[in-house]
Amino acid sequence: MDIKTLEFVTYCISKLAQVLKMSQREVYRRLKQSGILYDYIVPSYDVLHTFSSRYLMEDITDYMREKGVLPQ
């Protein structure tokens, strides 16, 4: 993972923690255990980093719900 991708992942975790009112550690744990982090966010960096912050958070939280990481 290059530095830009790492910075993006860090941003996503931080922003999701704010939006979901969870600790960053808990958000990271859920993303990692569900595979969302390394199977979706990291490989899709080129596309995802072009989204607005609001759309990005909606996209990831929707995916988290689909994967059962968040309640419906």
Side-chain angles (χ1 to χ4, degrees):
M1 179 179 338
D2 66 19
I3 190 71
K4 288 181 181 182
T5 306
L6 179 59
E7 288 173 348
F8 178 71
V9 166
T10 303
Y11 169 79
C12 288
I13 291 169
S14 176
K15 191 69 174 172
L16 280 167
Q18 289 176 337
V19 169
L20 299 172
K21 297 180 180 17
M22 292 181 185
S23 70
Q24 292 179 11
R25 179 175 292 197
E26 180 61 19
V27 171
Y28 171 76
R29 186 187 68 76
R30 290 180 186 214
L31 292 174
K32 185 178 177 190
Q33 286 183 343
S34 66
I36 294 171
L37 184 59
Y38 293 109
D39 295 336
Y40 179 60
I41 295 174
V42 171
S44 302
Y45 164 76
D46 288 342
V47 174
L48 293 177
H49 88 278
T50 65
F51 294 169
S52 70
S53 179
R54 181 176 162 193
Y55 183 82
L56 180 62
M57 293 303 108
E58 288 174 4
D59 181 65
I60 295 173
T61 55
D62 286 349
Y63 193 40
M64 291 173 80
R65 285 186 184 93
E66 285 177 28
K67 296 280 272 184
V69 178
L70 294 176
Q72 295 289 335

